[in-house]
Amino acid sequence: MLLGIDVGGTHTDAVAIGLKGGARILASCKVPTRHDALLSSVTEALENILGQVDPAGVTQLNLSTTLSTNAIVQGKIEDVGVIVSAGPGIDPHNFMPCRDFHVIDGSIDHRGNEVRALSPRQLSDAVDACRANEVRVYAAVSKFSTRNPRHENAIRRAVLQCREEADCEYADFVTSGHQLGGALNFPRRVATAYFNCAVWRLYNTFATAVERALEGMGLGHVKVNMLKADGGTMPLTRSRRMPVQSIFSGPAASVMGIIALTDIFHDSIILDIGGTTTDIAVFADGAPLIEREGIAIGSHPTLVPALKVLSIGIGGDSAISVSEASSTVRVGPNRLGPSVCLGGERPALTDALNVIGACAVGDTAASRAALNTLAAAHGLSTEAMARDAVDYASTTIHNATRDLIDEINSKPVYTIHELLEDKRVVPKKVYLMGGPANALKMELFQRFQLSTEVPEHYEVANAIGAALTRTTWELELFADTQRHVLFIPSLSYRENIHTSYDQRDAEKDAMNQLAMQLDSMGVFLRPEDAQITHASSFNMVEDMDLVGRNIRVKCQVRPGVVAIIREG
């Protein structure tokens, strides 16, 4: 039996799924999300689910949490010491993410050769400056560390040595840029390393609390995974060193939930309408799209792989407001507590849906009374205000979706499987999930004029996606036969190779290393779940002679679900 918990902006959803004889929903629940105490929401959801099933049957818990995302949005992150060596080229100060940002002399070229050694004095001064500001987490990033991590390793050693020499606690954690992946994008690497450190302590405190809570419930044996933004999971133990991967995992749960609940073959739109936001995803030829370069966190592009999802401030609890100048009715983007029908004080979208008869959630009389008061204050009729609010919300969702599709069609289309050459996305169907999905079905059908489906279990689809999502991992292998070096940055793995080493050897080694990495996590890799996403080999010529090959191979376990929910 698998458990899935998705901590959303408004509710924390949980499901228990049995796998004997086909995947079936055995229990589900929704509890309020308390952003100042996320663990209590997780614990309440767990206790609710375990009261409906036999805890002894639970083997795995997959968890999606807003913890890291909320911390960044609210500015509740830790000070980070970012120490970089860049060498010639763009000034690193153009993309400095924080106050304690130090650039030191030293450079490595694109082949991995050290052109200039690090300045020991500047490195020592940078560490001392961070220590004076009581910084305790550090990011070490050099421009071509994915070819040679020597400078990042030196920075890391300097930080840790200072900790050993200090009389008190000093450096608790260091992120090395080369372990974040193999892509050559220095600004993205700096930002990713920074955010990984900034949420590290908060995330690890939460992870420890989850483990203790499970032990207290007699579930200490249960394997725990965290959902990632790319639509996969990673073991909780691994996530402790890479918490940045958990950012924006909620929208990924939406996408994986719809995959688990339906068969999608064509270009489609997926709308997850929650209490706070609507997450919009697009499928091309039945496969979800990805952010190929990595998502942006605020104004900082990162290397965090992610499904392509747009979130807008329209949800069931989005507050209704009226413009004083034009009497225009608007919905969102703010959520000012729950809808009045659910005990809130400000009328929201769900209250308007109650008034027009699209649903009957909670205290419908309270919805009407609240809209009566707001409408009277602006000289409007209650029915007209409710209708205008619903129109505004559904039109906003429609327009945002069309804008997203236009953006997608202006660039190459990448799905979780491949690049679709000359692909133009033309949606044929709309899938709705989330609490208000049924209530907005006809409204959105009228605007999209496409077949619109609300699958079973739509209210807890995110938790279903979390429960059934399989572990994903990727790595890049670089080989330089002239230098006789093979390097896998994310594993900090290096070995010597022969001059005859070729692309076929690299592909075999990359897949073997991927399987070994997953095996160390307790994950069995089926051959059909892994794929090589990039492979290239370039001859290197000097004085008209072939002196070696530069080889790059990237492979991954594709995002997917371990089972499909079937009814009947």
Side-chain angles (χ1 to χ4, degrees):
M1 185 162 52
L2 308 179
L3 300 185
I5 297 180
D6 174 67
V7 183
T10 304
H11 293 102
T12 294
D13 302 337
V15 296
I17 298 177
L19 296 180
K20 284 188 177 181
R24 296 287 185 274
I25 308 294
L26 303 180
S28 66
C29 72
K30 297 176 82 74
V31 302
T33 295
R34 290 176 284 276
H35 290 280
D36 57 344
L38 289 184
L39 180 65
S40 67
S41 299
V42 172
T43 302
E44 182 180 352
L46 271 173
E47 291 173 342
N48 190 312
I49 285 293
L50 295 177
Q52 303 177 55
V53 298
D54 180 6
V58 178
T59 57
Q60 180 173 289
L61 165 64
N62 286 355
L63 178 62
S64 166
T65 172
T66 60
L67 181 73
S68 297
T69 308
N70 291 346
I72 292 170
V73 170
Q74 297 169 11
K76 297 180 179 179
I77 52 181
E78 187 170 357
D79 289 338
V80 180
V82 179
I83 304 176
V84 306
S85 66
I90 188 171
D91 184 355
H93 291 94
N94 291 340
F95 40 86
M96 61 184 295
C98 59
R99 175 194 62 181
D100 292 286
F101 184 82
H102 302 273
V103 180
I104 60 179
D105 290 340
S107 67
I108 290 173
D109 69 15
H110 67 285
R111 291 280 302 280
N113 299 308
E114 184 178 59
V115 177
R116 184 179 183 183
L118 286 179
S119 167
R121 180 186 58 78
Q122 291 180 7
L123 177 53
S124 177
D125 289 346
V127 173
D128 288 344
C130 292
R131 182 180 178 184
N133 287 333
E134 299 183 344
V135 170
R136 294 178 64 183
V137 289
Y138 291 79
V141 189
S142 65
K143 184 179 289 184
F144 289 107
S145 61
T146 56
R147 302 296 187 265
N148 184 346
R150 175 183 295 180
H151 287 181
E152 289 183 354
N153 291 340
I155 295 169
R156 178 184 180 86
R157 284 195 300 270
V159 170
L160 296 181
Q161 181 180 355
C162 187
R163 176 179 67 181
E164 293 172 1
E165 296 172 351
D167 295 330
C168 58
E169 286 295 322
Y170 171 56
D172 295 328
F173 179 66
V174 182
T175 295
S176 296
H178 67 276
Q179 295 180 321
L180 300 171
L184 286 177
N185 193 311
F186 187 47
R188 286 179 180 267
R189 189 173 305 281
V190 170
T192 309
Y194 163 73
F195 284 115
N196 195 57
C197 291
V199 300
W200 174 81
R201 192 180 311 279
L202 179 70
Y203 180 89
N204 274 266
T205 300
F206 177 76
T208 298
V210 168
E211 289 177 336
R212 290 175 178 170
L214 288 171
E215 289 175 2
M217 296 177 186
L219 297 178
H221 65 284
V222 170
K223 180 179 180 182
V224 183
N225 295 320
M226 297 299 296
L227 210 68
K228 301 188 294 177
D230 68 354
T233 66
M234 56 182 169
L236 182 64
T237 52
R238 294 298 178 108
S239 73
R240 284 178 172 276
R241 296 197 62 82
M242 208 64 69
V244 71
Q245 296 282 358
S246 71
I247 292 173
F248 301 142
S249 62
S254 307
V255 172
M256 305 317 290
I258 208 72
I259 290 174
L261 291 171
T262 62
D263 293 317
I264 302 178
F265 301 103
H266 306 292
D267 296 356
S268 304
I269 297 164
I270 287 76
L271 302 175
D272 179 11
I273 310 168
T276 305
T277 63
T278 292
D279 294 333
I280 307 169
V282 176
F283 280 46
D285 292 349
L289 305 188
I290 60 170
E291 295 280 7
R292 181 169 176 260
E293 302 296 329
I295 53 173
I297 301 177
S299 61
H300 299 283
T302 74
L303 293 174
V304 178
L307 299 175
K308 190 171 185 64
V309 179
L310 173 67
S311 296
I312 61 172
I314 296 288
D317 289 341
S318 294
I320 297 173
S321 61
V322 182
S323 169
E324 295 291 345
S326 61
S327 295
T328 301
V329 178
R330 295 187 175 90
V331 175
N334 296 321
R335 176 184 184 270
L336 304 176
S339 303
V340 173
C341 61
L342 297 175
E345 298 179 357
R346 291 285 298 271
L349 177 59
T350 300
D351 296 309
L353 290 167
N354 275 343
V355 168
I356 69 170
C359 61
V361 175
D363 187 346
T364 57
S367 291
R368 180 169 290 277
L371 261 70
N372 281 343
T373 301
L374 183 61
H378 295 278
L380 302 172
S381 77
T382 301
E383 296 291 340
M385 171 176 281
R387 167 47 56 190
D388 286 350
V390 174
D391 287 347
Y392 181 92
S394 51
T395 298
T396 299
I397 294 171
H398 174 261
N399 291 343
T401 304
R402 290 300 176 190
D403 289 344
L404 177 61
I405 292 171
D406 288 344
E407 177 199 330
I408 290 169
N409 285 330
S410 69
K411 305 173 183 176
V413 175
Y414 289 89
T415 72
I416 59 173
H417 303 305
E418 61 187 333
L419 163 65
L420 299 180
E421 297 281 0
D422 301 321
K423 170 66 178 179
R424 181 171 179 80
V425 176
V426 182
K428 303 290 195 302
K429 194 165 185 176
V430 179
Y431 294 89
L432 305 181
M433 52 198 287
N438 249 339
L440 284 168
K441 179 180 179 180
M442 290 308 300
E443 301 292 333
L444 292 169
F445 167 73
Q446 292 170 8
R447 282 157 181 80
F448 283 100
Q449 290 296 298
L450 295 171
S451 173
T452 303
E453 178 180 335
V454 179
E456 287 195 83
H457 309 296
Y458 66 91
E459 308 101 319
V460 290
N462 277 25
I464 293 170
L468 294 176
T469 293
R470 67 181 176 218
T471 300
T472 60
W473 209 261
E474 67 175 23
L475 60 80
E476 289 186 66
L477 179 153
F478 300 95
D480 186 329
T481 63
Q482 183 184 18
R483 299 176 62 232
H484 305 289
V485 171
L486 177 156
F487 183 49
I488 301 176
S490 61
L491 304 180
S492 296
Y493 176 81
R494 178 183 293 267
E495 71 173 60
N496 295 327
I497 56 174
H498 193 269
T499 306
S500 62
Y501 192 87
D502 61 17
Q503 182 177 316
R504 184 176 299 179
D505 295 325
E507 291 176 3
K508 181 180 178 180
D509 285 345
M511 293 293 276
N512 286 340
Q513 287 289 338
L514 181 64
M516 290 170 59
Q517 180 72 359
L518 288 169
D519 184 65
S520 71
M521 301 180 194
V523 178
F524 172 72
L525 175 60
R526 299 186 308 170
E528 62 268 28
D529 292 338
Q531 65 179 164
I532 292 175
T533 56
H534 175 87
S536 61
S537 177
F538 298 98
N539 291 333
M540 293 179 286
V541 178
E542 291 181 4
D543 298 325
M544 303 299 291
D545 293 324
L546 177 65
V547 296
R549 298 182 184 88
N550 194 301
I551 303 168
R552 177 191 173 203
V553 174
K554 184 176 182 178
C555 60
Q556 68 168 10
V557 176
R558 296 175 296 192
V561 295
V562 299
I564 304 295
I565 298 295
R566 299 297 187 198
E567 298 302 323

